[in-house]
Amino acid sequence: MNAQTAAGATATPFLAELQTLEQCRERIDRAWPLMTELYPVCRSITGAGVRMTLERVAAGIPLEITEVPSGTPVFDWEVPREWNIRGAWIDDENGRRIVDLRDHTLHVMSYSTPVDAVMTLDELKPHLHSIPEHPDWIPYRTSYYRENWGFCLSHRVLAGLRPGNYRVRIDSSLEPGSLTYGECVIPGTSSDEFLVFTHVCHPSLCNDNLTGIALASTLAAGIRASARPRLTYRFVFGPGTIGSIAWLARNESRVDRVRFGLVLGLAGDRGPMTFKRSRRGNADVDRIAEYVLRTAGTQGRVIDFSPYGYDERQLCSPGFNLPVGRLTRTPNNEYPEYHSSADNFDLIDRDALAESLAASARILRIAERNTRYVNLNPKCEPRLGKRGLYGATGGRHPGEFEHALLWILNQSDGSQSLLEIAEKSGLPFELIAAGADALLGAGLLRPENT
Ligand code: ZN
């Protein structure tokens, strides 16, 4: 009988299938259809696009859906009316279609109010947005909290418009409805939580949206396939800003359970990996992520918290100050394709996305295993040989494994975590964790809090 049948649960080690870059690359290839199917969906902060997106995510992992009604006060904000769109286009006076939402979801400014009018080019122009320095790209524009309408188009098309009358139609609705977010919770043996937040509100943008959804979905599926974790994992798929504000408003009484957190997004471009520290700057997740980036063998960088970016702005607002960092590659607004139609699949490097997956999985793995221990035989070194631990290493690095045992025994006075011991010793965290397992098995350690 194997361990699975005995316990009635899988005994697969935590995120075992996301250990190597090759394994992560294979998972990214498997997540690719999720991204390609979600790419054409016209998402916004509310409405059918978000629901459709969450439904597709829920095909891979169970999602608990929350609908927060329009008008609900959430701290200093209010859940907006629900926006839905059926079509949008501009025809010139010869009936030639200049712009059509069917061609690209970025063509209409998100939250555009309905329009059905004929107007001159001069009247129309204030509602047209383009990027002159990249004349073939369509910009991404929103107007969530100020009633307005607009079209986004390539500068080449805009520059070619002749004076005359234009027929403008936006078939949208802004009505009382709700804001939707989804959560996948994987209970651990502890109620301490690892929160992962990713936004689901951008239309056809790939790096800035779909990569975060792909990573979070893949991690959640991987944890669900593992043995029951120590930490409780909570994956939140919600609209940016107002989604995290609404989530915090509804979970205020329980956010003190969040011990670690990551905001995921912008994870597949070719830039180096970036970890943005939590507002605290010295939370466990900051230390873990810095270690992971430093030892990943790739160029990574760690930047300080700033109140600009994604949902870390809300999660790390002073009234919450949650230990939540952000893992991205090139930060928002720091690459030319950002918030434009050029943020498409051409921008994504599957290997880079796999590397982001490997890094985030390792952050979770270290958080899961990063305990402090107490040496139960602290007066002089215990004799490892008589316990079969000296020279019987079973690893590729026998010398290192014995070193790891000595480091753990020496440092485990209850004040040092395994990560701190890994940092001090220069030995890989995984080796230190394996050493701690061996010492636990020999009855030489106990967890600090027991
Ligand atoms: Zn964005």
Side-chain angles (χ1 to χ4, degrees):
M1 182 161 57
N2 62 30
Q4 272 191 12
T5 48
T10 172
T12 310
F14 186 74
L15 288 178
E17 291 167 354
L18 298 177
Q19 308 243 17
T20 65
L21 270 177
E22 293 68 35
Q23 288 172 319
C24 289
R25 172 59 203 251
E26 192 262 327
R27 290 289 155 154
I28 292 304
D29 290 344
R30 272 206 239 172
W32 209 253
L34 172 72
M35 293 172 64
T36 53
E37 285 168 43
L38 290 181
Y39 182 74
V41 177
C42 189
R43 276 170 291 274
S44 185
I45 52 173
T46 63
V50 179
R51 288 196 193 93
M52 212 183 289
T53 299
L54 295 177
E55 234 168 71
R56 177 61 184 83
V57 171
I61 50 171
L63 275 192
E64 188 183 316
I65 303 295
T66 300
E67 299 278 356
V68 188
S70 304
T72 305
V74 285
F75 302 113
D76 201 38
W77 299 60
E78 192 176 277
V79 173
R81 286 177 296 169
E82 187 176 316
W83 185 70
N84 284 291
I85 185 147
R86 288 158 291 277
W89 44 261
I90 301 172
D91 282 354
D92 69 10
E93 56 194 12
N94 300 319
R96 195 169 60 98
R97 192 137 294 186
I98 307 297
V99 175
D100 194 333
L101 178 67
R102 282 187 214 173
D103 298 333
H104 207 297
T105 64
L106 292 179
H107 273 320
V108 71
M109 185 166 75
S110 196
Y111 261 68
S112 281
T113 51
V115 180
D116 190 355
V118 175
M119 59 185 70
T120 65
L121 182 59
D122 282 347
E123 290 168 325
L124 177 59
K125 267 199 167 162
H127 295 280
L128 301 182
H129 307 279
S130 68
I131 312 172
E133 56 273 30
H134 294 290
D136 292 316
W137 298 358
I138 307 164
Y140 168 48
R141 292 275 187 281
T142 66
S143 188
Y144 301 137
Y145 300 104
R146 198 167 57 87
E147 282 208 3
N148 199 356
W149 60 270
F151 283 89
C152 304
L153 64 168
S154 73
H155 194 69
R156 208 174 292 287
V157 171
L158 192 153
L161 296 180
R162 300 275 158 259
N165 286 322
Y166 288 85
R167 174 85 205 286
V168 181
R169 179 91 172 99
I170 297 181
D171 181 12
S172 65
S173 57
L174 269 165
E175 289 164 346
S178 55
L179 172 150
T180 318
Y181 63 77
E183 285 174 275
C184 175
V185 181
I186 306 158
T189 54
S190 159
S191 59
D192 289 352
E193 284 192 5
F194 198 123
L195 173 71
V196 176
F197 192 102
T198 196
H199 60 280
V200 293
C201 53
H202 290 35
S204 303
L205 295 168
C206 209
N207 197 35
D208 184 4
N209 215 172
L210 298 181
T211 57
I213 296 173
L215 286 197
S217 304
T218 304
L219 289 168
I223 299 171
R224 278 173 46 77
S226 307
R228 188 173 188 188
R230 179 177 72 87
L231 298 167
T232 292
Y233 289 84
R234 182 176 300 273
F235 292 84
V236 184
F237 300 81
T241 306
I242 190 68
S244 51
I245 293 172
W247 184 84
L248 283 164
R250 294 174 61 93
N251 291 278
E252 187 172 5
S253 63
R254 31 161 307 153
V255 289
D256 58 346
R257 296 181 193 179
V258 176
R259 295 281 191 269
F260 308 86
L262 276 181
V263 170
L264 293 178
L266 309 176
D269 63 86
R270 291 170 175 81
M273 207 138 46
T274 305
F275 177 73
K276 177 180 167 181
R277 290 188 180 98
S278 73
R279 181 177 176 276
R280 297 184 190 184
N282 61 354
D284 286 343
V285 71
D286 298 317
R287 189 152 192 176
I288 294 170
E290 289 194 47
Y291 174 79
V292 167
L293 261 62
R294 196 170 62 237
T295 55
T298 51
Q299 278 192 324
R301 58 177 181 161
V302 178
I303 58 174
D304 279 330
F305 179 79
S306 64
Y308 173 64
Y310 285 106
D311 291 283
E312 68 275 13
R313 293 161 67 159
Q314 316 310 327
L315 300 162
C316 297
S317 56
F320 290 105
N321 203 21
L322 296 180
V324 176
R326 196 182 85 197
L327 193 71
T328 40
R329 299 196 73 91
T330 308
N332 39 303
N333 226 2
E334 291 184 18
Y335 56 97
E337 299 88 349
Y338 178 72
H339 279 190
S340 82
S341 56
D343 182 350
N344 56 35
F345 283 97
D346 294 341
L347 186 69
I348 307 301
D349 174 21
R350 290 194 195 206
D351 289 334
L353 189 52
E355 197 182 87
S356 303
L357 177 61
S360 45
R362 193 166 181 225
I363 292 170
L364 268 56
R365 259 197 310 273
I366 294 180
E368 180 73 15
R369 188 64 186 83
N370 190 27
T371 315
R372 291 178 169 80
Y373 290 102
V374 175
N375 177 349
L376 294 171
N377 191 105
K379 292 182 178 165
C380 303
E381 291 174 353
R383 282 183 61 194
L384 297 175
K386 72 177 185 187
R387 296 174 172 89
L389 291 174
Y390 214 81
T393 58
R396 282 184 301 143
H397 309 289
E400 283 193 337
F401 188 75
E402 286 147 8
H403 263 109
L405 299 180
L406 297 177
W407 270 103
I408 300 160
L409 287 166
N410 183 274
Q411 295 293 303
S412 290
D413 56 7
S415 74
Q416 301 294 300
S417 68
L418 294 186
L419 180 62
E420 286 165 311
I421 298 171
E423 285 172 332
K424 269 189 196 169
S425 65
L427 297 168
F429 178 87
E430 287 73 9
L431 187 70
I432 294 290
D437 286 340
L439 293 170
L440 280 165
L444 288 169
L445 290 183
R446 69 166 170 82
E448 179 263 327
N449 52 2
T450 54

